[in-house]
Structure formats: C-alpha cells, structure tokens
Amino acid sequence: MTAEVISTAQATQDERRPGPQRSGRRSALLKISRFVRMIPLVPAIIIMVVFLAGPIIWSFYGSLTNAALSGANAANSSFIGFDNYVKLFNDPVFPQSLWITIVFTLASAVISQNVLGLGIALVVTRANKKLATIVSSTVVGAWILPEIVAAFVCYAYFSQDGTLNQILALAGLTGPNWLYTFPLLAVVLANLWRGTAFSLLVYQAALNDVPPEISEAAMIDGAGGAKRLFFVTIPMIKNTITTNLMLITLQTLSVFTLIYVMTSGGPGNDSTTLPILAYKEAFRFGNIGYGTAIATILLLIGAVFSIIYIRAARPSKD
Amino acid sequence: MKKSAAVAISVIAVGSLLGIAGCTSTPSDSSEKTIKVSYIKTDAFTALDDLFNKVKPEFEAANPGVTVELDPIAATDDDYKTKLALSHRSAETAPDVFYEDQGNVRSDAEAGYLLALDEYTAKWDDWSEFTDAAKQAGAGDDGKIYSISLGTDTRAIWYSKTVFTNAGIDVPWEPQSWDDILVAARKIEASDPSVVPFNLYAGTGTGEGSNMQGFYELLYGTDLGGDALYDSESNKWVVGSDGFTESLEFLKTIYDEGLALTPAQALDPNIWKSVFGEMFPNAKLGGTVEGSYTPSFWVEGGSFEWADYATEMGATAFPTQDGQAPGGVSMSGGWTLAVGSKSENPQLAFDFMAQALSFENALEYDNVNAQIAVRKDVAADESYLGANPFVGAVTDLVEVTHFRPSTSIYNQISVEVQKASEAVITGKMSPAEAAASYDAAVTSIAGDDMVIEK
C-alpha cells in the first residue's frame, strides 16, 4: 500500500513537473521519511536477528566444526568444513531417521490431525451446545497438558502392562508391548491424540466464517452433504487449511519429548526421528558439531515445507 | 484522556524495563565466597547427598564467609554426565566440586574441565593413604592428578541360592567356564520355567551399565584378556577378534534359548530396579552380573530393603571363557570427586573435597554405598570388613579386574559395543554381522591408524 501511495505521489509530482530542484527535494524527503518510519521497527529487527537469525547462523557454523562435549575437541574445536554433512549422508541411520520423520509427520499431522480436526469441527458446529462443549473440552484437554505429562500418560497407556493392554485383556486379547513391537505406531497415535485440538480450534474458527447462505443455496440446488463439503465449504476455507497444515507440519517436525519419553527413539533406531537423532548425537555421544549438522538439515526441511505451503496459500491472480 | 493514558503506559513500560535491568545486575560483594557442589541424587542413591549434607555445616563453620551451595541432580548416569559437561562450558554454570565418573577423567581433563590437583595433594596428609591404583585412576593423560577416588567397585555374579537349590544345583556355585553358566541356566529353566535363569545386561537401554555388567565380562574373559577391547601395547582399538564374535554368540544363545530376560525387558533402562527390588527377593531370578555395590540396595536403609539377602544370595567370580588363567573376570569403575578448572576458589574447593574424603567420611560412605575402599586405612577397618558378608569376596576380585580404556573417544566406542549387543539380542543382526558392523564403526570413529586386527 505504501508503494502505491509513493508511486501515486511520484506520478502526481511528475505531472506537475516543477523545477528539478523541487522534485529532488521531494523524493529525498520521501526517502528520509520512509527511513524514519522504519526506526520503531529497529528494536524488533535487532531482537529477531539476535534471537532467531543469530542462533541459526551460529548453529550452521557449529555444524562446520568438530565441537564436542568432552575430549580434546571440547577445548579447541577446529573448522572441518562439510565433513559432518558428508559423514551424515554416508551414515545408514540418517536416511532411516529421515524416512521415520517424514512418516511420522505425514501420518500423525498432515493426514490424521488435519482430517480429524476438520471432521470434529464440522460435527461440533452442528451438534447441540452441551455436547459440543464436552467434546471440545476433552480434545483440547489433551493438548494443554504439558508435553512431559502427556508423554508419561501415553507411556503408561501403551506399555506392556498399560491401559491399552488391560482393555484388550477384557476383550480376551493379549496385546503386544506396543512401545517395543510397534514403536512408530504408538508415537503416531500419541501425537495424533495430543495435537488434534489445534486443528480443531483453527477449523472451528474458520467454519464460523463460512456464510450459511451459500451452503443453503447449494442445498436448494440439490447438492448433498458430501458435495457441499467438497465444493462449497472446503474451497471457502482453503487458506485456513494451508495455514493449518504449515503450522502443524512445523510443530510436528520438532516433536521431541513425546517420542523420547515413550520409546527413547528405540528399540534400536526404529522410532528415531531427526530431533531425537540430533539429541543423541550431540548430547549422548558428545558430538555437538555432528548433532548440529542434523539440526541444520531439519531446519532446511522445515524451510522447504514452509515455502511449499506459502506458495500454495498465495492468492491466485484473477 | 487518551494522551495521558499513553504517557502513563510509556512511563510504566520504561520504568519496569529499568527495574528489570536493575534487578539482574549481580551483587559485587566479594567477601561472600560460594563453593558449588554438583552430584547425583536419586531415590536409589542418597549416600553422597547424605555425605555432603554432613560436611556442609562443618565446612561452613570452619570457614566463615564461605557458603557451600549443594546442587543435587536427579538424573540417570548418562544424563548427569551430559548436564555436567554442558555446565563446564561456562564459568557461570561450572561447579567447583563435582562427582565425576572415573572413566571420563582422561577425556574431561583433555577438554580442560578439570583442575590439576598435584599442588594440593602434595600438601595433603591423607594422600599417602590412597592406594597406587586409586591414585592412577584419577590421573590424566599427562600424568597429573585430576580427581580423587571415592571408592571403586568390581563386578561379580550374584545368584539366588534359593533358586539354585530348588533346581538341584550345588551351592556355593563356582562356574569355571561359560559352558558352566549355560548348563546351570538350562537346569533352572527346566526345573521352573517361571524363573528367569540368568540375566546378562545388553543393549543401549542400560547404557554403560550394559557393557560393564554384561558384554565386557564376556569379552575380557576371551583369549586376548585385558587387551580384548583396546590393545595396551600398541594403544590401538582391537577389531576383527574371534573373542568379540564369540562373546556375541554367547549373548545370542542365552537370549534365544529364553535363559535370560526378554529383549524388551533388557532394553528398559529401569530393569535393574526390578532385578534388585522384585526378582531376587521373590526368587524369580537365578543369577545376574552386577556390581559389588549390590548389597547397598538390600541393607537396612537401602532402596530395596531385604533382610534375608545375606543368607539367600551368593556371589562368585564370572569365569573366563574356557576357565583359562586368571580364572575370573571383573570390571572396575568407580566414581571420583574433582575440582572444576574454572573454579574461583580452588583451595577452598579442594579443602571441601578433602574433608568429604577424610577417613571417617570415606569409611561411612564406602560402607553405606557398598564401595571397595581406596584408602588403606579404610580397607583395614573392622567396620568396613564387616559391613556386609560379601565384602571379602568382591574385594578379592580386584586381583582379576580390568579398567576401561578411558580415552576421549571411549564413549563413542562404548555405544558401538552396546549397539552390537542390542542388534544380536533383538535378532536384527547375526553375531558375525554385528561384529563386522562394530569393526567398521570403530575404524570410522578412531581412524584407520588407531585400530589393530587381532
């Protein structure tokens, strides 16, 4: 908007075409005033650089060294260029961990939380108020639990003598040790349980903005429930869907406590997502440089997802 | 109205900013000296906390103007070491005195975290009471003393006489070879399938414990003996040894035949609590390899009090593979106390440490925590010798014990050993594959010129 104002001002000024002196002073004033308008932003920019960009740059630099937690490299770390990344790509654990992270993110967030959140939101907007409140509260209750509490709850639920197996025992089935035999499934379900509330709240707000007249009009035209959903409701909340997907993807990529407490990334590396791998490498094995390289890769993956979502959310030019 | 509100808000905002800035400025009162002491305190391990809480008021009374700030950390050994290493990286968080694993001393000294104590031990009368082995345990690569031993430990087979007698095996039990263990375990399995015959820790769940109380007992009992992991002559890591593969095969046998815990149980970091707290007292476990500190859990005041342990349990040396010399295998570790290199009051820190390691305090600590004494005067004391019925047996194991090669990359090698044992017990790799994978990992970690084929 500012650009339009300035260009309009410029155009008006060109039309009038006073002497070159006067137009120079005008544009100089405009430039200075634009700069002055930026000054209140400077503290915010400084904070962002120091607390966001700074650590990212420092972490990237750290991944180019062989910094360690103990031993000679703790006293004097040296610059080793991209050796950490070369080692990472040659390590068989890395592609496995990458795959597990992608599966975890897609299964528990992009597909499950998204669809479930939308589904519950659709149902809740039509149900009677009391039922809606109960359902919403239950779902949101799981989300507001501190992550460590939620992690313990899920550990207790899925472990060999846990709640799930006790329920199955009532039905006469002996459940396996979920955390050992199906660790990825267990953490996906745990994260799904925990994170659905976010999508629910986002979609509830979005659905409130959908004008009922349009769906009524579609109903009069003979569109059934499913057609109304896919051709009226969803296109209207398209931007919300994209934003929600971006947020939950980024949140899920960095899930750590839940998985670490439930399975520690185990058994072996069966549920080791990239954050867990980075933690293990940096703090268990003391290879801070190597762990930072993994974290940097994770950052890049997040950036790629963000770009995809932002592109998808860009309003189409008519 | 609007303008005055805006003014009021701005004044409050600026005022609170100044107030916050003012509050965070550190007091520059230098007459108050503080010694920060970091150590582990968990439900199962309170001996050190008790010791420091006893020494703190005595030390503060003897040194006016000095405050001792105790920093007990409730964490597993591995997490504690990580937290300690991180706190060393800055002078503001680095502790003055701290509990340090003997196996990390060389690596941490190299990292510059530990203060060299030679000038302080030279003036300390009690230093001559420490055994040579104990003094060596706290030395760095450069030969300087970087930490002082609190006590040491050995590993032995602890077995339930009840279970063995029920299975028809004579007690006291003294296996002479790996086969003897298998024979006894199979007998127990046949007589009572609800009992776990023999536990051997393995995998990454129990961390370093799975090596010390598991794989190393096997490995150091093979042909290469004390040089099976790290060749002391060439100072290189051993790869491709038959002993490594054969140790993995033994693990595979006892796990596959159901003579040990299930792999899922073995990978649980808290399984040792079940072993001490439930399985032995309820005679549901035949035998396990565990440290000499085991009685500390069962004595009065321990975490898993068990009045009858003295009569129901037995301890014996873990045998070498085929009974070859020296006939038994044990691993020693132990913890030490050290002074941080960034300490502002090194003399005070050392004095605090020295008081915690005095004759009376060391005696009390070694008895309560079932440690093997590293001071000659403590080792000769009657109350030490009579603390529990197994003191003599586990102290004898010092003769056949081995220490880990605590170089700076030992942690990573240790993890590779844990991974190998885990792969074998979970069936993910065969012993030969796991050994090959270990060899490749060690070569990659240590470098081609730091490994030797045996």
Side-chain angles (χ1 to χ4, degrees):
Chain A
M1 196 166 139
T2 323
E4 287 159 12
V5 168
I6 291 175
S7 60
T8 321
Q10 206 75 14
T12 330
Q13 180 194 292
D14 287 338
E15 276 172 347
R16 271 188 272 138
R17 220 58 193 107
Q21 209 180 16
R22 227 176 130 192
S23 79
R25 194 153 43 104
R26 255 275 164 86
S27 60
L29 267 173
L30 276 168
K31 282 202 185 108
I32 293 173
S33 84
R34 200 191 318 182
F35 182 70
V36 164
R37 261 179 302 206
M38 289 257 300
I39 288 183
L41 281 178
V42 168
I45 293 177
I46 292 178
I47 289 179
M48 272 186 57
V49 167
V50 169
F51 289 108
L52 287 183
I56 291 175
I57 295 171
W58 187 82
S59 130
F60 181 65
Y61 174 71
S63 70
L64 301 175
T65 66
N66 59 2
L69 212 48
S70 185
N73 290 330
N76 296 306
S77 62
S78 46
F79 186 82
I80 55 169
F82 286 98
D83 279 1
N84 279 329
Y85 291 97
V86 170
K87 192 171 153 201
L88 188 58
F89 289 119
N90 285 329
D91 189 349
V93 177
F94 177 67
Q96 182 190 12
S97 182
L98 187 57
W99 173 244
I100 290 171
T101 311
I102 291 175
V103 168
F104 178 73
T105 309
L106 286 178
S108 82
V110 174
I111 299 172
S112 314
Q113 282 179 20
N114 205 28
V115 169
L116 210 56
L118 183 57
I120 298 179
L122 284 167
V123 166
V124 148
T125 42
R126 280 157 225 272
N128 80 56
K129 285 299 161 211
K130 234 183 186 178
L131 189 61
T133 321
I134 294 175
V135 171
S136 309
S137 313
T138 319
V139 177
V140 171
W143 184 54
I144 59 178
L145 278 178
E147 201 175 353
I148 187 92
V149 175
F152 274 125
V153 166
C154 292
Y155 177 82
Y157 187 75
F158 284 109
S159 60
Q160 181 77 62
D161 306 315
T163 319
L164 182 58
N165 279 347
Q166 287 179 7
I167 295 174
L168 289 176
L170 287 176
L173 305 159
T174 25
N177 186 350
W178 299 94
L179 298 172
Y180 182 77
T181 331
F182 301 110
L184 196 50
L185 180 65
V187 295
V188 162
L189 289 175
N191 194 41
L192 160 61
W193 167 75
R194 182 171 153 68
T196 303
F198 185 79
S199 304
L200 170 63
L201 294 173
V202 167
Y203 285 131
Q204 256 185 320
L207 286 174
N208 277 337
D209 286 342
V210 173
E213 300 89 47
I214 300 192
S215 359
E216 284 167 11
M219 215 179 353
I220 293 172
D221 282 344
K227 274 212 173 125
R228 258 184 296 137
L229 177 65
F230 285 107
F231 293 112
V232 178
T233 318
I234 286 186
M236 294 209 81
I237 58 171
K238 192 182 71 130
N239 281 341
T240 311
I241 296 180
T242 321
T243 313
N244 185 46
L245 277 176
M246 178 164 85
L247 288 172
I248 61 178
T249 305
L250 293 176
Q251 282 171 10
T252 310
L253 273 177
S254 59
V255 164
F256 174 80
T257 311
L258 193 69
I259 305 179
Y260 194 74
V261 169
M262 282 177 74
T263 61
S264 280
N269 287 319
D270 286 351
S271 59
T272 302
T273 54
L274 285 176
I276 306 236
L277 187 66
Y279 175 84
K280 275 191 184 165
E281 284 294 339
F283 298 113
R284 269 300 146 84
F285 309 156
N287 297 325
I288 294 190
Y290 192 63
T292 314
I294 300 172
T296 311
I297 301 270
L298 193 57
L299 192 70
L300 288 174
I301 293 177
V304 165
F305 272 116
S306 306
I307 293 175
I308 294 176
Y309 286 134
I310 290 175
R311 284 258 153 105
R314 204 180 282 174
S316 45
K317 305 269 177 189
D318 286 339
Chain B
M1 202 54 177
K2 250 179 141 182
K3 187 173 177 187
S4 62
V7 169
I9 291 172
S10 329
V11 167
I12 293 172
V14 173
S16 52
L17 264 172
L18 287 173
I20 291 168
C23 289
T24 50
S25 62
T26 46
S28 54
D29 188 1
S30 56
S31 62
E32 263 302 308
K33 295 189 182 167
T34 317
I35 305 283
K36 180 173 164 191
V37 181
S38 294
Y39 55 98
I40 300 180
K41 179 192 174 190
T42 62
D43 288 341
F45 174 60
T46 53
L48 199 55
D49 187 56
D50 293 337
L51 170 64
F52 285 146
N53 274 308
K54 171 177 177 274
V55 176
K56 173 180 149 101
E58 293 170 4
F59 188 77
E60 285 174 342
N63 296 282
V66 176
T67 320
V68 174
E69 184 196 320
L70 294 182
D71 175 36
I73 298 172
T76 59
D77 288 355
D78 281 341
D79 288 335
Y80 166 76
K81 289 179 203 174
T82 305
K83 182 161 184 178
L84 193 65
L86 285 170
S87 73
H88 276 300
R89 295 171 79 84
S90 155
E92 303 200 339
T93 47
D96 295 281
V97 178
F98 50 95
Y99 187 54
E100 169 92 351
D101 188 337
Q102 181 270 331
N104 291 131
V105 169
R106 286 169 66 175
S107 164
D108 285 349
E110 222 180 328
Y113 296 154
L114 307 180
L115 185 71
L117 300 172
D118 302 78
E119 56 176 292
Y120 302 102
T121 53
K123 296 181 280 177
W124 190 32
D125 293 333
D126 289 8
W127 188 235
S128 54
E129 286 293 339
F130 283 80
T131 62
D132 286 334
K135 290 183 187 175
Q136 268 311 108
D141 283 335
D142 53 7
K144 292 189 191 167
I145 304 294
Y146 285 100
S147 71
I148 304 183
S149 246
L150 274 163
T152 185
D153 46 24
T154 52
R155 268 92 192 135
I157 298 183
W158 297 85
Y159 63 95
S160 166
K161 288 182 180 168
T162 320
V163 170
F164 271 61
T165 336
N166 287 346
I169 306 174
D170 287 332
V171 293
W173 181 50
E174 283 169 18
Q176 299 297 314
S177 68
W178 290 3
D179 265 344
D180 287 353
I181 299 180
L182 284 177
V183 164
R186 287 172 183 145
K187 233 176 167 174
I188 298 173
E189 175 77 2
S191 81
D192 186 355
S194 74
V195 168
V196 178
F198 197 82
N199 172 44
L200 204 54
Y201 292 101
T204 57
T206 337
E208 183 66 0
S210 88
N211 285 344
M212 293 291 272
Q213 282 92 263
F215 193 74
Y216 287 164
E217 294 292 307
L218 294 165
L219 184 64
Y220 280 80
T222 58
D223 284 337
L224 294 171
D227 290 329
L229 186 68
Y230 183 76
D231 186 54
S232 49
E233 253 188 66
S234 60
N235 280 330
K236 294 187 184 183
W237 298 92
V238 174
V239 293
S241 69
D242 290 335
F244 196 90
T245 318
E246 284 160 13
S247 307
L248 286 175
E249 278 163 9
F250 182 85
L251 262 186
K252 183 177 164 63
T253 311
I254 58 164
Y255 273 89
D256 279 357
E257 286 187 28
L259 302 172
L261 297 167
T262 63
Q265 283 172 305
L267 295 178
D268 178 0
N270 292 320
I271 190 64
W272 62 273
K273 292 184 186 171
S274 299
V275 168
F276 287 141
E278 289 152 21
M279 301 178 84
F280 273 132
N282 297 330
K284 284 291 167 199
L285 176 61
T288 185
V289 175
E290 257 295 0
S292 54
Y293 44 74
T294 301
S296 71
F297 296 107
W298 292 323
V299 295
E300 206 182 294
S303 319
F304 310 111
E305 279 186 32
W306 183 22
D308 299 325
Y309 82 92
T311 43
E312 290 201 25
M313 294 296 301
T316 184
F318 196 94
T320 49
Q321 189 171 7
D322 303 307
Q324 71 268 30
V329 186
S330 183
M331 298 297 301
S332 277
W335 289 75
T336 66
L337 289 180
V339 175
S341 59
K342 298 187 167 78
S343 173
E344 291 176 350
N345 304 296
Q347 182 66 57
L348 278 174
F350 182 83
D351 290 341
F352 181 84
M353 212 168 79
Q355 193 168 339
L357 291 162
S358 71
F359 170 69
E360 300 86 18
N361 288 332
L363 179 63
E364 172 77 12
Y365 180 78
D366 286 347
N367 284 345
V368 166
N369 211 30
Q371 294 282 297
I372 294 180
V374 287
R375 288 180 62 128
K376 297 176 220 165
D377 46 7
V378 171
D381 189 275
E382 267 179 22
S383 74
Y384 167 78
L385 292 167
N388 68 69
F390 300 104
V391 170
V394 297
T395 312
D396 285 345
L397 289 173
V398 171
E399 322 245 319
V400 295
T401 199
H402 303 276
F403 285 87
R404 292 160 294 179
S406 52
T407 66
S408 53
I409 56 168
Y410 169 72
N411 274 336
Q412 300 178 59
I413 308 282
S414 157
V415 169
E416 295 304 324
V417 176
Q418 294 167 38
K419 283 184 192 172
S421 65
E422 182 167 307
V424 163
I425 66 170
T426 53
K428 292 224 164 91
M429 287 195 213
S430 73
E433 288 167 354
S437 169
Y438 168 79
D439 290 344
V442 169
T443 317
S444 144
I445 293 169
D448 285 324
D449 53 346
M450 287 296 287
V451 294
I452 182 166
E453 278 262 342
K454 284 245 163 149

